[in-house]
Amino acid sequence: MTVAAPTLSAEPSLAKPSLAGATRAELAEALRAIDTPEREIRMRVAQLWHWIYFRGARDFADMSNVSKIVRGKLAERFTLALPEVVAEQVSTDGTRKWLLRLDPVDAADKGAEIECVYIPESDRGTLCVSSQVGCTLNCSFCHTGTQKLVRNLSTREIVAQLLVARMRLGDFPGLEPPTDGLVPSGADVRAVSNIVFMGMGEPLYNLEQVEAAIEVMSDGDGLSLSKRRITVSTSGVVPQIERLGAECGPMLAISLHAVRDDLRNELVPLNKKYPIRQLLEACRDYPGASNARRITFEYVMLKGVNDSPAEARELVRLLKGIPAKINLIPFNPWPGAPYECSDWETIERFSDIVFNAGYASPVRTPRGRDILAACGQLKSETEKLRARARLAVE
Ligand code: SAH
Ligand code: SF4
């Protein structure tokens, strides 16, 4: 299983903890640690919140309405550092991928790396964030699942991905947008308007931190992203689906990928624990699901494996009664993958059957394939670069 996420109270031997990405409770804790009188805590938390999440402050010294003494004490114990951007790649289609190095969690840790991806469109910008380093679940078509190192990300590390993206996209007061690629702009468009938890990891195996991160991201006094624009994608951790809906209420996406248990057991091994019937029941009961808030069903198109017209018809039958949209994802290959992507005509035929049954069935255009930023490809580039670097020194 995964190990716990690091907490704010880092060991003394490690670097000063950063408050960028912290929850209100963590900020209050930090203020108590510098002996702030209890009666001031609420007001100080509100000030810090505004500076960190609304203004994108990078330095306590900039917080002009916070007393100099408090700023000084904060700077002695904490920082506002964000994870280091080890590499930034910009695809020809404007997709950006950032490789981020996280702070070490103990003396033996060299700092794990995660990737997050930004996908611009004319009317929106979607940030695909990671919830874990790697993933324990080993879906047979996903490269992330082949990675050995796994740990949960902390709330701070999840929120920090959005902060890094907004910094790099010049989306805080006083910053300029980059000139080397497409970033949507206009009166009503935000550079990052949507978040999807579709990067590395299974978000429902790190539910508490994911929920806390969503609360920070959707807080109206700061980052202010509506929960309707935040989607959590899961391979089907049934008991956690209801909790997510009841406690937090973001949009839900289910990685279905097969309509029969025998095949889904193979593609998504978690299905052996929570089979299709149970999974769909949890979707029927998902608090807040409605025609205005549909559940997305993701279906990766694997040539000759799950892409027949009979399977499309079965998919429609299975989803009856659930407010659903179906997202067909062309399989994104990675080195050594045991599958191929379905032919375009097969995908179209599948999509037509689903569409004629009354479902929106967009085929997700692969984005950023040239920089290996598409679904399921994350981490491969880094590992490849490492392998190359190793070869170079041998
Ligand atoms: N663990 C979560 C979220 C991360 S994966 C989940 O499985 O839902 C995000 C999406 O990418 C999932 O729908 C996943 O099935 C899909 N995916 C994984 N590998 C892929 C690949 N090689 N090609 C296309 N989609 C892939
Ligand atoms: Fe993990 Fe999702 Fe990849 Fe499956 S598809 S291995 S759950 S990241």
Side-chain angles (χ1 to χ4, degrees), residues 196-363:
V196 291
F197 281 82
M198 294 184 187
M200 294 158 64
E202 169 48 57
L204 298 195
Y205 272 1
N206 189 15
L207 185 64
E208 266 173 46
Q209 312 280 346
V210 165
E211 286 183 346
I214 293 173
E215 296 303 336
V216 176
M217 290 168 168
S218 60
D219 188 294
D221 294 330
L223 294 163
S224 217
L225 276 171
S226 154
K227 284 182 183 171
R228 283 172 172 247
R229 290 178 172 269
I230 301 179
T231 302
V232 172
S233 173
T234 178
S235 56
V237 190
V238 164
Q240 306 290 51
I241 291 177
E242 195 201 339
R243 268 191 69 191
L244 177 76
E247 295 174 354
C248 184
M251 303 299 279
L252 179 67
I254 302 286
S255 295
L256 192 62
H257 307 318
V259 292
R260 293 188 325 271
D261 280 324
D262 59 343
L263 179 60
R264 193 163 192 270
N265 287 346
E266 219 176 274
L267 301 178
V268 183
L270 186 67
N271 192 70
K272 292 182 204 147
K273 205 160 171 195
Y274 306 116
I276 295 175
R277 200 182 50 78
Q278 268 186 39
L279 176 58
L280 295 182
E281 219 158 276
C283 292
R284 276 198 184 86
D285 295 342
Y286 187 66
S290 66
N291 278 341
R293 290 171 67 105
R294 289 170 194 271
I295 297 174
T296 302
F297 288 86
E298 298 163 276
Y299 196 97
V300 64
M301 299 300 294
L302 303 170
K303 188 179 201 162
V305 175
N306 64 353
D307 59 356
S308 70
E311 282 159 312
R313 285 191 289 272
E314 179 60 9
L315 178 61
V316 168
R317 200 189 62 77
L318 278 177
L319 298 188
K320 230 183 209 125
I322 303 176
K325 1 181 221 222
I326 296 166
N327 207 328
L328 302 179
I329 316 175
F331 170 65
N332 291 308
W334 36 273
Y339 302 105
E340 281 176 75
C341 181
S342 310
D343 303 324
W344 189 245
E345 305 79 70
T346 311
I347 299 181
E348 271 191 334
R349 194 162 18 128
F350 199 101
S351 162
D352 283 348
I353 295 171
V354 171
F355 179 78
N356 289 333
Y359 289 97
S361 57
V363 178

Side-chain angles (χ1 to χ4, degrees), residues 80-155:
L80 292 172
L82 290 171
E84 181 194 347
V85 178
V86 183
E88 174 177 64
Q89 288 176 283
V90 184
S91 158
T92 49
D93 70 13
T95 301
R96 283 160 192 270
K97 182 168 80 169
W98 295 289
L99 174 66
L100 307 180
R101 181 169 305 129
L102 306 174
D103 286 344
V105 289
D106 57 37
D109 183 7
K110 301 260 179 301
E113 288 171 352
I114 51 163
E115 288 179 331
C116 65
V117 176
Y118 175 68
I119 306 142
E121 287 166 90
S122 56
D123 63 340
R124 68 174 66 188
T126 303
L127 187 68
C128 177
V129 296
S130 294
S131 55
Q132 299 184 307
V133 177
C135 185
T136 48
L137 283 174
N138 298 314
C139 299
S140 55
F141 53 88
C142 174
H143 199 241
T144 306
T146 64
Q147 197 183 311
K148 280 191 206 84
L149 177 67
V150 179
R151 80 161 166 84
N152 279 338
L153 297 188
S154 64
T155 303

